[in-house]
């Protein structure tokens, strides 16, 4: 087990997953997302970026693995990114150790860094709510509900709160406010295309960027996205589909099985080193990690 505890949060790695726990005073997006685990097979890389105050840990996920990142589409600010951790200066050594442990595991398990066909993380738990600007969006796993405040246009308030069953949703788009441009949270409906700006569209929130909490609308988008029946929203939370189900067989002796697997990985690491793919340092770190497990 390798872990790091900072004021910004805690990351723990047990060899199979990285558990992320946000600190008590972090950005509302991270607060509302809460504690979650990132399976190793969803990780594309990890790095520690030192600076004069300490540094920052960054976990890079495989493209398509996380519904929050998919909904955000690269628009999350650093403070709201759940895959970043601010590290104090006296914890820099621990951060570097954690990076080495995760990188070793990625090498040993031969996790690819390419995109995935379906989500590997479940996304925000439901019910979830978020937004700001002219209203709030909520989602209970089956129905989206949009409620308006006094700042909403008459085109929205005249019809009251909007309820939209998930079965009628074909897509969801989140855009944060940038500069003087408003953002939005828009829901696409089956058989209907709205040409109205978000401020007049009863199936959209108009986000003004006046509060950090407006960013929490991305969590609603992610929770809906991961539950859509379309290929884009298909979650791959079970073992990958390309692995066919086999009939139950007697379980092998765990110790013997682990021993054989680890010896095979040692041979594979040696081949990678001899072919020049691994540097001396990478080979030594990965070999040490395998031998430790033996």
């Amino acid at each position: 087990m390798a872990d790091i505890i900072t004021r910004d949060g805690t990351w723990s790695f047990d060899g199979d997953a990285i558990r992320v726990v946000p600190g008590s005073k972090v950005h509302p997006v991270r607060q509302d997302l809460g504690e979650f685990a990132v399976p190793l097979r969803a990780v594309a890389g990890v790095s520690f970026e030192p600076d004069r105050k300490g540094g920052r840990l960054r976990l890079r996920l495989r493209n398509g693995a996380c519904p929050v990142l998919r909904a955000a589409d690269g628009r999350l600010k650093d403070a709201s990114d759940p895959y970043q951790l601010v590290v104090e200066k006296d914890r820099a050594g621990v951060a570097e150790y954690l990076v080495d442990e995760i990188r070793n595991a990625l090498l040993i398990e031969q996790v690819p860094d390419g995109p995935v066909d379906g989500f590997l993380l479940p996304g925000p738990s439901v019910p979830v709510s978020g937004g700001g600007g002219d209203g709030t969006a909520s989602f209970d796993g089956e129905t989206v509900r949009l409620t308006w405040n006094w700042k909403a246009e008459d085109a929205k308030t005249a019809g009251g709160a909007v309820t939209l069953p998930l079965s009628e949703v074909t897509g969801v788009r989140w855009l944060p406010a940038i500069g003087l441009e408003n953002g939005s949270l828009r829901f696409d409906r089956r058989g209907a295309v709205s040409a109205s700006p978000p401020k007049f569209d009863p199936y959209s929130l108009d986000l003004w960027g006046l509060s950090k909490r407006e960013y929490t609308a991305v969590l609603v988008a992610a929770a809906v996205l991961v539950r859509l029946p379309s290929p884009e929203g298909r979650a791959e939370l079970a073992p990958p589909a390309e692995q066919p189900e086999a009939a139950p067989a007697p379980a092998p002796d765990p110790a013997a099985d682990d021993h054989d697997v680890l010896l095979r990985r040692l041979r594979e690491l040696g081949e990678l080193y001899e072919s020049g793919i691994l540097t001396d340092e990478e080979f030594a770190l990965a070999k040490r990690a395998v031998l430790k497990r033996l």
Side-chain angles (χ1 to χ4, degrees):
M1 171 73 77
D3 58 19
I4 181 169
I5 302 173
T6 75
R7 288 191 294 269
D8 198 40
T10 301
W11 285 12
S12 304
F13 178 56
D14 63 3
D16 297 315
I18 301 102
R19 181 157 294 279
V20 175
V21 182
S24 60
K25 297 181 179 180
V26 297
H27 192 282
V29 168
R30 293 173 60 195
Q31 284 182 340
D32 289 2
L33 186 58
E35 179 179 345
F36 64 96
V38 183
L40 185 65
R41 65 192 182 101
V43 178
V46 61
S47 62
F48 175 61
E49 302 168 0
D51 58 34
R52 61 185 181 84
K53 293 183 178 181
R56 186 181 297 269
L57 274 169
R58 292 182 188 268
L59 196 62
R60 184 168 59 88
L61 268 59
R62 298 170 65 188
N63 189 28
C66 173
V68 175
L69 295 185
R70 176 66 184 84
D73 196 20
R75 301 185 182 98
L76 283 180
K77 295 180 179 179
D78 282 354
S80 63
D81 188 340
Y83 301 106
Q84 296 190 30
L85 185 72
V86 176
V87 177
E88 293 90 357
K89 195 170 185 177
D90 62 348
R91 308 298 290 164
V94 180
E96 292 171 346
Y97 174 75
L98 180 65
V99 166
D100 286 343
E101 289 293 296
I102 296 174
R103 285 179 175 171
N104 288 341
L106 290 171
L107 277 172
I108 294 168
E109 300 297 336
Q110 298 182 20
V111 177
D113 60 2
V116 296
D117 293 332
F119 294 126
L120 301 181
L121 284 90
S125 58
V126 293
V128 61
S129 64
D134 64 356
T136 301
S138 59
F139 178 57
D140 62 5
E142 297 180 354
T143 304
V144 174
R145 182 176 174 84
L146 302 174
T147 56
W148 315 115
N149 57 38
W150 64 273
K151 294 172 282 189
E153 297 288 337
D154 290 344
K156 291 182 174 181
T157 59
V162 171
T163 57
L164 184 61
L166 183 64
S167 58
E168 296 181 15
V169 178
T170 58
V172 57
R173 292 168 287 162
W174 174 75
L175 179 68
I178 302 175
L180 298 178
E181 295 292 326
N182 285 2
S184 62
L185 175 65
R186 306 194 68 153
F187 295 93
D188 299 325
R189 295 165 294 140
R190 193 178 309 282
V193 177
S194 176
S196 301
K199 67 184 298 184
F200 299 115
D201 180 6
Y203 295 95
S204 301
L205 290 185
D206 193 29
L207 305 175
W208 303 339
L210 300 179
S211 166
K212 288 181 179 180
R213 287 218 62 84
E214 288 193 21
Y215 261 73
T216 56
V218 72
L219 300 180
V220 180
V224 170
L225 189 63
V226 78
R227 290 168 175 82
L228 288 179
S230 63
E232 181 184 44
R234 185 177 63 248
E236 188 191 310
L237 301 179
E242 61 266 21
Q243 296 180 355
E245 293 186 5
D253 178 67
D257 180 65
D258 288 348
H259 188 267
D260 291 343
V261 169
L262 293 173
L263 286 177
R264 185 173 70 250
R265 286 175 183 161
L266 276 176
R267 288 195 296 270
E268 291 169 349
L269 287 172
E271 292 171 359
L272 292 171
Y273 175 68
E274 290 175 1
S275 63
I277 295 175
L278 294 180
T279 65
D280 292 347
E281 183 181 358
E282 289 171 336
F283 174 66
L285 286 171
K287 180 181 177 182
R288 186 160 59 248
V290 175
L291 293 175
K292 193 188 305 181
R293 293 173 63 177
L294 276 171

